[in-house]
Amino acid sequence: MSYIDVTDLTFSYVQGGQQILQDQQLRFDQGTFNVLTGPSGSGKSTFLRLLCGLFPQFTGHLLAGKILLDGQDVGQMSVTQRARKIALLFQVPSEQFAMPTPREELVFTLENLRTDPAEIPTRLERVLAFTGTTQFADRKFTTLSGGEQQRAALSVILALDADIILLDEPFANVDPQTRAFLLKRLAALVSEQGKTVIISDHDLTDYQFVADYLYVLDPAKKQIHLADPAERAQRFKAFDQQKHQAVAVDLPQKDGPVEFALHDFATGYQQNLLSQKQFQLFQGHLTVFTGPNGVGKSTLFNAIAKLQGYRGSLTWHEQEIAKLKAKHYNRKVALVFQNPVSQFMQVTVKEELELSLKNRLANGWTKDQVQAALVDLDLAGRQEQVVYQLSEGQKRKLQILLMLLLGVPTLLLDEPLTGLDLVSANKIMGYLQRAVKTEGKTVIMISHQLTNLAQYADYHIKLDHKELSYEATL
Amino acid sequence: MNPTVLLAVVLVCGIELSFARVITANLLVIIVGVVVLVYKHAGWRTYLRLLLVPLLPALGVWFSMAYFAVDHQLHYAWVLATRIYAYSFLGAIFTFSTTVSRTLASLEQNAHLPTTFVYGMLAALNFVPKIRSEVTTIKASAQMRGITLHFWSPQLMFKGILAALKWSESLAEAMTSHGFAENQPRTHYLVIQIPKWNYFAAILTLAIFQIFIFSAWP
Amino acid sequence: MNKTRNNAWHLRDVILLTLVAILTGVLYFGVVFLYNALSVALTPLGLAPFGNDLILGLWTLAAPLAACLLQKIGSATIGEILASAVEAIMGGQWGISTLISGFIQGIGSELGFTFTAYKRYDMVSLSLSALTTTIVTFTWDLFQQGYAAYHLWMIIALFFTRLLSIWLFGALLVHAVVKLLERSHMLRAE
């Protein structure tokens, strides 16, 4: 028997509905660093929640099987016993704290474990120091960056002193420096304290030398398997290559029509994420916008889309955006949200399409064009389906279609390719390129996935160290 | 004073005021309120706010009483107008004596309010900024699709509740993962007690208040 | 979760209702200005109570919404108390009286669902709940707001203004929202 034993595990969210995991067998040894990968939305989070007993306590049905932690059945353990044994760090940094500040969250956690109050201060200082959280321990979470929040979250996990540490896509909103720091700390916890770490991530960059084992979730089989050396090497290599396959792209001619211009511009909720003396974004082009996580790409989009304030000047067609009325401006410059659900207003696919068709602008799509696109994107015949119940990929495709057919002149897309397979991603890029080339639209898109993008993109801008710059490669 | 004891006193006074028709009792509460505020070194803005915010409702009720009461009872008009001020000062006495988290902690430790309620509320209260920005996002997202949402639009509440459903799930999972078990015993780093004098003070305050309520004073 | 109704209050329920209460506060904060404008216009005429009763439905919709979201005994009452606590904390105009009236409103709304034996959460019980909310809060205000001292015609007019407002927001709007939620299958899965 090993440290974590998963036998015959079958799980489904809805009784009689689709199964997420089927007949899963798996084992993890104590004191190992494990990485779990697989496409977004394939069930990695579900598996981690099953391991620590949050499922089926909160959601879903365990149709068969059991999970033993160090010989104990998770289903039989109390909440407090579980918390001491196995801890989970969540994907969305800001949705995992009950208290306003890191220090209060730690006190809350230690009180839950019925820690002797006299011991609390020393334990608290120790974990704060280990994760480098001491200097912002009394600041409100709402003022902390994603990286700082995940440091605090790791402190909480150390305060629990659990043997097993699970991390669910923990770096999605974390800057690269913090990511490297946290990975080093986790590796130290494994090698020095014998902790068992299981981390789920679809991005395998930097794991090659820390991971003892790589596990892969195959959504077709609904099963997780241990990657053999060949698969492991191939998967890690894929991420190395993606990073370096840069292709040359144009630098903009400085005399083209300007869509957006920044002058002495700064934005960010607390600290300035971005401060820019001068920058221009050009009309009628497809611009790809890259940069590390958590540096403020979405924040800039939010400022452009009037979802948040800024300092200095930000203009659209030489008009100050802060002074424009959202009602008219947002029909000309629209944001395709990172979370597709934010775009939906109705309940069924049909209602959503009808809403966009009804409110399309003069150069919006015709019904026939929409129908053809539905077939092309594999969304046909789903008219009566509830949008919230579509798969992640379908939601994404529908979302982009809804915004394209409106005929909005300028579209800002925040990670539009997340959750799409390569075929769908290429189709979406085709639509975006056509919108630019034949309809004269302006498209600016944030993307982490860069495969094949150079063939569609006109320009590439990058945000790093609080500054924007045009890049000659993509 | 202990927040639970204070809350009890304030609530009892508030309920009694609702039924009493004694201007002097209302004035007593206002005077005590001012004394507490002076003692707590409240800023001038607080006084201004306490003076202005109730003004409109107080005037409103005074005028309607003066115009439309069966026998134009001016005394009752003054009772109702000063009562609105008394309520505001009653609230101020409480908020200036303690904080939200201390009150909830005291309700947990002294009044034995179930911890599920205490920490559920505390956790949700941290989401005020997130909820604000979610509402902004919903409205902007609607604009981008060509619709303007008003406060009576069901979509506004619907989309907001969808976010609330997701957040309540995430938070409850996270708190459970941080060892929080519903209504199970916990230790307390900050122990809140009720000193004996609090009981005497509470009884004395309420006793004096009764004299005003049941007196023959106007 | 199983088919039998579960009346225990879980952490998730408390968080949800508090979040919904904050949401209500954020959504309708702007309406306070509307109310103030209305009051200013009505005060010199002595008709300010109509302003109050016209928008009262917005402050009482947390109760029927909570009842429909959780479908537990007591959810309307507890939902409205949580909402009034949130309102008091976030700096509502009326401070401590918010807590007291929240309790009264919650009980009033709850009765509508009690009379339908907690079996239906449709337009019928929502309308009934609007009626019981109106009756209970109005009775309270006969004393608390001194409504009892008014001429009979004014009392009747105020009653129906309030009933209309509570029905529009607490029944019609809540029903529309709940229907959207049900159609989208986003309420807690069986």
Side-chain angles (χ1 to χ4, degrees):
Chain A
M1 194 178 65
S2 40
Y3 200 57
I4 304 173
D5 274 288
V6 177
T7 40
D8 307 330
L9 195 72
T10 303
F11 177 82
S12 154
Y13 277 107
V14 189
Q15 195 93 52
Q18 203 194 4
Q19 291 173 0
I20 309 296
L21 285 168
Q22 222 167 41
D23 218 4
Q24 177 70 52
Q25 324 288 335
L26 212 58
R27 43 201 296 164
F28 297 92
D29 290 324
Q30 192 169 13
T32 53
F33 195 113
N34 306 278
V35 176
L36 170 62
T37 194
S40 309
S42 59
K44 301 191 294 294
S45 303
T46 310
F47 178 67
L48 295 186
R49 279 167 173 74
L50 281 163
L51 281 186
C52 63
L54 287 175
F55 289 177
Q57 185 195 340
F58 279 94
T59 306
H61 302 270
L62 190 61
L63 301 175
K66 64 178 171 188
I67 295 166
L68 298 183
L69 303 179
D70 201 7
Q72 258 187 302
D73 186 344
V74 179
Q76 310 292 324
M77 292 163 79
S78 77
V79 167
T80 326
Q81 282 173 317
R82 270 168 13 202
R84 287 172 185 281
K85 192 81 196 162
I86 184 162
L88 174 60
L89 196 149
F90 295 80
Q91 178 176 6
V92 184
S94 60
E95 292 173 14
Q96 57 188 329
F97 305 111
M99 295 288 143
T101 65
R103 189 184 303 277
E104 286 168 279
E105 183 71 25
L106 282 164
V107 170
F108 166 73
T109 305
L110 290 169
E111 287 178 346
N112 291 337
L113 300 181
R114 283 167 239 160
T115 312
D116 180 355
E119 273 180 39
I120 289 182
T122 41
R123 278 180 74 169
L124 214 140
E125 293 310 325
R126 201 178 58 221
V127 298
L128 285 173
F130 186 84
T131 57
T133 308
T134 314
Q135 69 270 30
F136 49 83
D138 294 304
R139 270 178 48 200
K140 295 216 163 177
F141 281 115
T142 44
T143 71
L144 299 180
S145 72
E148 287 166 332
Q149 293 186 39
Q150 292 301 53
R151 279 177 193 237
L154 185 62
S155 314
V156 174
I157 282 179
L158 295 177
L160 290 166
D161 200 23
D163 293 338
I164 308 161
I165 302 174
L166 310 176
L167 302 98
D168 183 13
E169 299 258 0
F171 303 125
N173 298 293
V174 171
D175 56 282
Q177 295 88 334
T178 307
R179 184 179 196 262
F181 172 83
L182 288 175
L183 272 179
K184 217 182 281 171
R185 282 311 196 199
L186 288 168
L189 286 170
V190 173
S191 60
E192 289 161 22
Q193 300 185 26
K195 305 274 187 201
T196 308
V197 167
I198 306 175
I199 184 164
S200 85
D201 208 326
H202 65 277
D203 178 355
L204 292 178
T205 321
D206 294 343
Y207 285 117
Q208 191 157 12
F209 302 105
V210 284
D212 294 313
Y213 300 103
L214 176 69
Y215 293 86
V216 180
L217 201 162
D218 182 348
K221 286 191 196 146
K222 294 174 185 166
Q223 279 191 348
I224 298 166
H225 64 266
L226 175 64
D228 58 33
E231 185 181 8
R232 179 188 159 108
Q234 174 243 325
R235 288 208 174 245
F236 280 126
K237 196 165 159 235
F239 275 87
D240 265 359
Q241 281 184 344
Q242 267 182 24
K243 289 268 141 167
H244 297 107
Q245 249 181 2
V247 176
V249 289
D250 291 338
L251 287 171
Q253 305 293 321
K254 296 285 179 192
D255 51 359
V258 174
E259 183 74 18
F260 301 106
L262 293 75
H263 293 280
D264 297 320
F265 172 89
T267 187
Y269 284 107
Q270 294 304 318
Q271 313 97 315
N272 280 352
L273 276 168
L274 172 67
S275 54
Q276 191 84 22
K277 274 222 86 59
Q278 193 101 352
F279 201 77
Q280 291 175 326
L281 287 155
F282 295 94
Q283 200 183 329
H285 293 281
L286 198 162
T287 306
V288 173
F289 183 8
T290 66
N293 286 340
V295 297
K297 301 188 296 294
S298 299
T299 311
L300 176 60
F301 267 18
N302 285 343
I304 296 179
K306 270 184 91 71
L307 283 166
Q308 96 173 67
Y310 57 84
R311 296 168 285 281
S313 164
L314 172 61
T315 59
W316 171 69
H317 295 175
E318 292 171 356
Q319 306 165 74
E320 193 63 42
I321 290 177
K323 291 187 184 141
L324 295 171
K325 279 233 182 306
K327 189 170 177 174
H328 304 293
Y329 176 67
N330 280 146
R331 298 232 58 195
K332 304 281 169 54
V333 176
L335 182 62
V336 175
F337 293 92
Q338 189 166 9
N339 182 359
V341 167
S342 299
Q343 215 89 46
F344 299 146
M345 283 289 132
Q346 309 285 14
V347 176
T348 63
V349 175
K350 188 175 164 196
E351 291 167 353
E352 291 289 357
L353 288 167
E354 278 170 358
L355 176 68
S356 272
L357 279 168
K358 191 179 114 211
N359 291 336
R360 75 198 136 155
L361 299 167
N363 53 347
W365 291 14
T366 63
K367 275 194 172 160
D368 293 337
Q369 277 176 295
V370 173
Q371 197 49 47
L374 283 174
V375 174
D376 183 39
L377 292 172
D378 213 7
L379 288 170
R382 298 189 183 276
Q383 299 273 350
E384 297 304 326
Q385 225 168 316
V386 172
V387 288
Y388 301 98
Q389 296 193 320
L390 296 171
S391 75
E392 287 310 304
Q394 290 162 344
K395 278 182 200 160
R396 178 74 62 191
K397 288 186 282 188
L398 176 64
Q399 173 201 20
I400 296 169
L401 178 60
L402 290 173
M403 295 310 285
L404 276 173
L405 77 89
L406 275 171
V408 184
T410 303
L411 279 182
L412 309 165
L413 301 101
D414 195 347
E415 298 283 2
L417 305 180
T418 310
L420 294 183
D421 54 75
L422 215 52
V423 177
S424 305
N426 275 322
K427 279 183 181 167
I428 290 294
M429 287 313 301
Y431 283 106
L432 293 175
Q433 190 180 38
R434 240 164 291 154
V436 171
K437 294 276 180 276
T438 65
E439 299 168 35
K441 304 265 162 59
T442 305
V443 170
I444 305 168
M445 59 178 279
I446 296 174
S447 189
H448 271 103
Q449 188 185 312
L450 303 177
T451 317
N452 299 342
L453 276 198
Q455 71 186 78
Y456 302 101
D458 297 315
Y459 304 133
H460 172 200
I461 57 173
K462 190 171 175 186
L463 174 57
D464 207 357
H465 303 109
K466 303 186 182 181
E467 288 214 26
L468 289 162
S469 58
Y470 278 97
E471 301 286 310
T473 57
L474 175 62
Chain B
M1 205 160 168
N2 177 283
T4 302
V5 178
L6 186 60
L7 184 64
V9 171
V10 162
L11 278 177
V12 170
C13 291
I15 293 169
E16 283 193 296
L17 280 185
S18 300
F19 292 99
R21 293 186 172 209
V22 187
I23 298 175
T24 36
N26 293 341
L27 292 178
L28 174 72
V29 171
I30 296 170
I31 291 165
V32 172
V34 172
V35 171
V36 170
L37 289 176
V38 170
Y39 177 71
K40 297 279 178 188
H41 303 292
W44 60 273
R45 278 167 214 274
T46 310
Y47 295 102
L48 195 67
R49 197 167 50 87
L50 281 168
L51 198 69
L52 290 184
V53 170
L55 188 62
L56 209 54
L59 279 179
V61 76
W62 191 90
F63 272 99
S64 17
M65 269 303 142
Y67 289 3
F68 295 113
V70 176
D71 41 7
H72 302 276
Q73 310 167 34
L74 264 188
H75 172 262
Y76 195 38
W78 282 110
V79 169
L80 291 173
T82 51
R83 184 189 287 169
I84 290 175
Y85 273 94
Y87 271 139
S88 290
F89 278 89
L90 212 46
I93 292 173
F94 188 74
T95 44
F96 269 84
S97 306
T98 181
T99 62
V100 173
S101 51
R102 203 177 151 76
T103 305
L104 283 169
S106 165
L107 287 172
E108 175 194 4
Q109 294 179 40
N110 308 132
H112 301 288
L113 185 71
T115 57
T116 306
F117 281 89
V118 173
Y119 290 96
M121 273 194 83
L122 264 178
L125 283 169
N126 294 327
F127 271 61
V128 173
K130 278 194 93 135
I131 292 173
R132 286 221 173 90
S133 71
E134 182 70 22
V135 170
T136 313
T137 304
I138 296 167
K139 286 183 176 165
S141 166
Q143 296 286 15
M144 292 167 192
R145 303 279 305 277
I147 41 179
T148 306
L149 296 180
H150 302 283
F151 71 84
W152 59 82
S153 314
Q155 275 115 322
L156 206 48
M157 184 62 104
F158 164 62
K159 296 288 290 181
I161 291 176
L162 287 187
L165 281 164
K166 192 179 81 99
W167 288 332
S168 64
E169 185 88 27
S170 317
L171 258 182
E173 282 181 12
M175 288 167 75
T176 307
S177 175
H178 291 180
F180 179 82
E182 292 178 353
N183 304 330
Q184 293 298 308
R186 322 167 62 245
T187 53
H188 298 287
Y189 182 55
L190 259 184
V191 178
I192 298 177
Q193 281 166 334
I194 305 181
K196 283 243 160 50
W197 68 266
N198 272 203
Y199 292 111
F200 292 117
I203 291 168
L204 193 65
T205 310
L206 287 175
I208 295 173
F209 193 66
Q210 303 315 307
I211 299 175
F212 277 79
I213 294 277
F214 293 103
S215 70
W217 293 322
Chain C
M1 304 286 139
N2 49 35
K3 294 266 183 199
T4 58
R5 196 182 16 248
N6 185 348
N7 271 311
W9 281 74
H10 293 292
L11 184 60
R12 184 167 49 182
D13 306 328
V14 176
I15 298 174
L16 177 65
L17 286 197
T18 314
L19 289 176
V20 171
I22 299 170
L23 176 72
T24 319
V26 171
L27 286 182
Y28 304 131
F29 181 74
V31 185
V32 171
F33 295 105
L34 193 79
Y35 166 68
N36 285 343
L38 209 61
S39 297
V40 171
L42 292 174
T43 294
L45 305 173
L47 294 173
F50 282 97
N52 176 54
D53 282 20
L54 210 54
I55 63 154
L56 193 76
L58 286 175
W59 310 130
T60 57
L61 65 71
L65 197 55
C68 292
L69 287 178
L70 297 186
Q71 311 201 344
K72 292 178 199 288
I73 293 170
S75 49
T77 313
I78 296 177
E80 189 62 48
I81 292 174
L82 281 175
S84 61
V86 166
E87 203 188 318
I89 290 167
M90 284 171 74
Q93 276 191 24
W94 293 275
I96 210 77
S97 62
T98 316
L99 284 177
I100 301 170
S101 50
F103 179 71
I104 305 294
Q105 290 160 1
I107 294 282
S109 174
E110 184 84 33
L111 284 175
F113 301 99
T114 314
F115 291 150
T116 48
Y118 297 97
K119 287 220 171 87
R120 46 201 301 184
Y121 293 88
D122 52 7
M123 219 32 208
V124 172
S125 53
L126 280 167
S127 299
L128 190 61
S129 167
L131 183 67
T132 52
T133 310
T134 311
I135 292 171
V136 171
T137 60
F138 202 82
T139 311
W140 173 256
D141 282 346
L142 284 176
F143 302 100
Q144 212 259 328
Q145 301 276 352
Y147 281 14
Y150 291 128
H151 286 286
L152 187 62
W153 65 265
M154 174 122 159
I155 297 177
I156 292 172
L158 280 171
F159 180 87
F160 282 102
T161 309
R162 180 175 295 198
L163 181 60
L164 178 71
S165 167
I166 294 180
W167 185 77
L168 279 177
F169 293 111
L172 208 60
L173 179 60
V174 167
H175 184 65
V177 171
V178 171
K179 234 175 112 182
L180 283 171
L181 284 165
E182 277 174 358
R183 284 183 54 218
S184 63
H185 300 280
M186 292 299 274
L187 285 177
R188 200 152 304 148
E190 254 309 306

